[in-house]
């Protein structure tokens, strides 16, 4: 496989015991098995080389997240015992994003995984897949939410943007509210997202079609809210429009926020995309012929995550 894959096992240290939905404790959907399932299937298909991330300066995080927020996550993680878990408080916006002892280290390592991918893109690699966990696109400047702590894609895109224009294509089932906000007033980073109608689905507060950017950034934000139960064909039509937007922008780099929660069997999502379709999605993205950094976001049907990922990578090859 020509695609370089970045992975760190430090993600396993982040494993919250449950999330809370309408007052009821449920098993935590964003499990560490997700990434391990992907690794396992890739290995079974002959993909054996996984690169460890390099360490990057914390300054890369400070340019996207408030320092107090970063310090809070670090201190609170360190203050917990192995079996303790911290639910909503200041900085923690919902019941899906608790802090456990290993959260800071895992989130920090996910950022290193993303930045190592970005660095390889700068070094001339065509496609890199950063197997980030925890995911990032819901993380705001000073708020953790939706299983996200640090915004891996935003930090990587910001890093790349020192070297040319960056387009971010977000194809997770959910709108990437955090990423949108980070670049809302910038014209050198385009954010384009396909996601479930936020009137019906998380994150509710953003992802609407009339959010187009602000001041200098006006015209550099594009949302495609989609109805539930959308199928391959309908999704394709919108994807092609989104890719046209990116083409017009003429970026130097592409960052893909890659979620597999658009899959028909996903327990949280609500689209009807099928297993083999992920190869087509990737082929269309590849047609842009841009240096492309893939950042893993959501996807919760653990059993098929490996196949989804492998199909996607085959389309990108
Ligand atoms: C990165 C990402 O995909 N984050 C998604 C956050 C979505 N959180 C809301 C999920 C609530 C699911 N629980 C509903 C179970 C009903 N029994
Ligand atoms: Zn999602």
């Amino acid at each position: 496989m020509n695609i370089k894959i970045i992975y760190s096992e430090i993600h396993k240290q982040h494993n919250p015991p449950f999330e809370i939905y309408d007052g009821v404790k449920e098993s935590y959907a964003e499990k560490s098995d997700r990434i391990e399932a992907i690794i396992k299937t890739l290995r079974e298909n002959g993909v054996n080389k996984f690169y460890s991330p390099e360490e990057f300066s914390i300054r890369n995080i400070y340019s996207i997240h408030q320092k107090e927020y970063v310090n809070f996550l670090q201190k609170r993680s360190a203050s917990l015992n192995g079996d303790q878990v911290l639910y909503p408080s200041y900085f923690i916006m919902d019941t899906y994003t608790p802090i456990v002892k290993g959260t800071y280290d895992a989130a920090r390592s996910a950022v290193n995984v993303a930045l190592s991918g970005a660095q390889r893109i700068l070094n001339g690699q065509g496609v890199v897949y950063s197997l980030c966990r925890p995911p990032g696109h819901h993380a705001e400047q000073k708020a953790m939410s939706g299983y996200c702590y640090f915004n891996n894609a935003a930090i990587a895109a910001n890093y790349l943007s020192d070297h040319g224009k960056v387009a971010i294509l977000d194809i997770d089932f959910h709108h990437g509210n955090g990423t949108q906000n980070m670049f809302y007033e910038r014209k050198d980073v385009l954010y384009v997202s396909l996601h479930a109608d936020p009137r019906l689905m998380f994150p509710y507060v953003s992802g609407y079609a009339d959010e187009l950017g602000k001041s200098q950034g006006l015209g550099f934000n594009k949302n495609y809210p989609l109805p539930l139960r959308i199928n391959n064909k309908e999704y394709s039509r919108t994807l092609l429009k989104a890719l046209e937007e990116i083409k017009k922008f003429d970026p130097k780099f592409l960052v893909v926020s890659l979620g597999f929660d658009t899959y028909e069997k996903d327990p949280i999502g609500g689209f009807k995309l099928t297993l083999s379709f992920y190869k087509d999605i990737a082929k269309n993205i590849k047609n842009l012929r841009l240096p492309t950094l893939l950042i893993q976001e959501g996807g919760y049907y653990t059993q098929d995550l490996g196949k989804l990922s492998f199909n996607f990578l085959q389309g990108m090859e």
Side-chain angles (χ1 to χ4, degrees):
M1 175 144 307
N2 283 323
I3 299 170
K4 297 277 187 283
I5 304 175
I6 323 283
Y7 163 82
S8 161
E9 64 176 19
I10 295 173
H11 81 86
K12 292 181 196 166
Q13 295 175 26
H14 172 68
N15 233 344
F18 56 84
E19 58 189 79
I20 303 168
Y21 184 73
D22 271 353
V24 179
K25 286 183 187 178
E26 303 193 343
S27 79
Y28 198 66
E30 202 286 286
K31 303 176 200 308
S32 55
D33 296 359
R34 298 173 54 245
I35 299 296
E36 297 310 302
I38 291 175
I39 296 279
K40 181 167 177 280
T41 306
L42 292 180
R43 281 193 201 282
E44 284 164 6
N45 284 280
V47 182
N48 290 310
K49 186 89 187 98
F50 301 97
Y51 295 84
S52 294
E54 316 281 315
E55 286 281 333
F56 284 79
S57 160
I58 189 110
R59 258 168 289 176
N60 295 293
I61 300 183
Y62 292 155
S63 58
I64 289 294
H65 295 284
Q66 193 195 59
K67 210 167 181 173
E68 286 71 19
Y69 169 82
V70 179
N71 291 344
F72 170 84
L73 181 55
Q74 181 167 26
K75 292 225 172 72
R76 287 307 269 138
S77 294
S79 74
L80 299 172
N81 299 322
D83 52 2
Q84 282 181 310
V85 47
L86 180 68
Y87 277 91
S89 76
Y90 196 64
F91 291 129
I92 310 181
M93 291 284 286
D94 60 33
T95 53
Y96 309 122
T97 321
I99 299 177
V100 296
K101 190 171 185 55
T103 300
Y104 176 80
D105 288 344
R108 181 77 200 274
S109 140
V111 170
N112 285 329
V113 168
L115 285 170
S116 297
Q119 186 56 53
R120 281 179 185 269
I121 293 288
L122 290 178
N123 294 348
Q125 177 72 32
V127 181
V128 183
Y129 182 24
S130 289
L131 269 172
C132 296
R133 180 180 175 275
H137 72 156
H138 298 304
E140 298 274 1
Q141 192 210 5
K142 49 177 178 172
M144 47 201 90
S145 85
Y147 312 139
C148 301
Y149 302 84
F150 293 145
N151 197 318
N152 308 310
I155 294 166
N158 186 55
Y159 186 82
L160 289 170
S161 74
D162 283 344
H163 305 269
K165 290 196 294 179
V166 182
I168 302 171
L169 174 65
D170 191 330
I171 54 172
D172 186 275
F173 175 76
H174 304 94
H175 178 246
N177 53 292
T179 314
Q180 167 169 303
N181 282 331
M182 308 294 185
F183 301 108
Y184 208 62
E185 297 185 36
R186 282 175 63 171
K187 61 175 180 184
D188 61 327
V189 179
L190 172 73
Y191 178 74
V192 180
S193 180
L194 279 70
H195 49 263
D197 188 337
R199 286 178 301 178
L200 307 172
M201 285 293 186
F202 188 91
Y204 311 108
V205 293
S206 69
Y208 298 92
D210 62 356
E211 295 159 9
L212 299 171
K214 199 177 148 193
S215 57
Q216 283 215 329
L218 186 63
F220 299 95
N221 194 84
K222 184 84 187 161
N223 285 319
Y224 294 96
L226 298 167
L228 295 183
R229 288 177 286 282
I230 194 169
N231 64 23
N232 296 348
K233 208 169 159 188
E234 294 157 341
Y235 189 91
S236 255
R237 242 180 268 140
T238 308
L239 178 66
L240 292 179
K241 280 191 225 165
L243 295 174
E244 271 314 306
E245 284 287 328
I246 292 172
K247 232 184 259 174
K248 264 195 303 183
F249 179 64
D250 191 25
K252 190 156 177 198
F253 309 104
L254 178 66
V255 173
V256 179
S257 264
L258 178 57
F260 295 124
D261 38 7
T262 48
Y263 178 45
E264 58 178 348
K265 292 185 185 164
D266 194 275
I268 289 177
F271 290 166
K272 295 284 165 219
L273 308 191
T274 61
L275 206 45
S276 62
F277 180 61
Y278 286 81
K279 193 169 175 175
D280 299 323
I281 297 180
K283 277 187 190 162
N284 282 312
I285 293 172
K286 189 185 147 200
N287 273 340
L288 290 172
R289 299 182 181 284
L290 288 168
T292 300
L293 175 61
L294 308 170
I295 301 281
Q296 186 65 53
E297 301 281 1
Y300 307 97
Y301 190 71
T302 308
Q303 208 179 310
D304 286 350
L305 281 180
K307 286 184 227 160
L308 289 161
S309 172
F310 185 65
N311 286 354
F312 191 93
L313 293 182
Q314 276 191 310
M316 284 304 296
E317 272 281 68

